[in-house]
Amino acid sequence: KHKIHRLPVVDIDTGNPLYILTHKRILKFIKVCMDNVAKIEAVDKQNQNQNEDHKSSSSKLDISWDSYPLLKKTLKESKIGTYTTSKSKVLQIFEDQKIIEALNLFADFRISALPVIDRQTNRLTDVYSKFDVINLAAERSYHQLDVSIKQALSYRKRHGRGDRPLITCVLESTLSEICEKVVKAEVHRIIVVDSYANARVIGIVSLSDLLCAMVMNKNKL
């Protein structure tokens, strides 16, 4: 409703913040709960002594991850996410562009991440996010905003961290598969490519898009 990504949970008596509820935690909670329901269903089916009433009530609880109708839909069928069309555009940035250009895009368009593209091949190579900007402060290099995105992303390697896995999907991916990838990789978005072989960016699906589809869908969780 308010298009916020984080919600502080406060103590009702003192008003002190206790922790932050995020899209990522909510989606992971939904996934864990639905997986648990699936396990319960499996145990019930193996139980030879269950009565008919129990079977009836058990079937009503069939909201397991693999059984939920919305999650069986492909990305193309569900039509969620942001795509490059005649009316909209997925913002991207080339590896050789400067950090300052990325910062301007973050500020001007209120986005939190940019797909990073190889200028020669047009292939997706990485994602530059607002979180990466924090690295500028950590390195005390926030005055070096004319370095390239590729150089900026090398910060991870210089500090002993390997490359982050590049999480992508295609229009034929189901929402279940996409949610699985997002939950396991603990990312805030997944890049939609034309094919895994070509890796040309055509869209982005965010945690907000996934949760909105679940909440607003007529077959709610």
Side-chain angles (χ1 to χ4, degrees), residues 193-211:
V193 293
D194 59 346
S195 71
Y196 291 119
N198 291 334
R200 306 284 172 81
V201 176
I202 61 174
I204 294 180
V205 177
S206 67
L207 284 178
S208 301
D209 295 325
L210 294 172
L211 289 175

Side-chain angles (χ1 to χ4, degrees), residues 100-119:
I100 188 62
E101 296 179 72
L103 299 185
N104 286 333
L105 289 173
F106 289 152
D108 293 344
F109 295 94
R110 300 185 66 185
I111 55 175
S112 59
L114 289 162
V116 180
I117 311 299
D118 180 278
R119 193 181 289 275

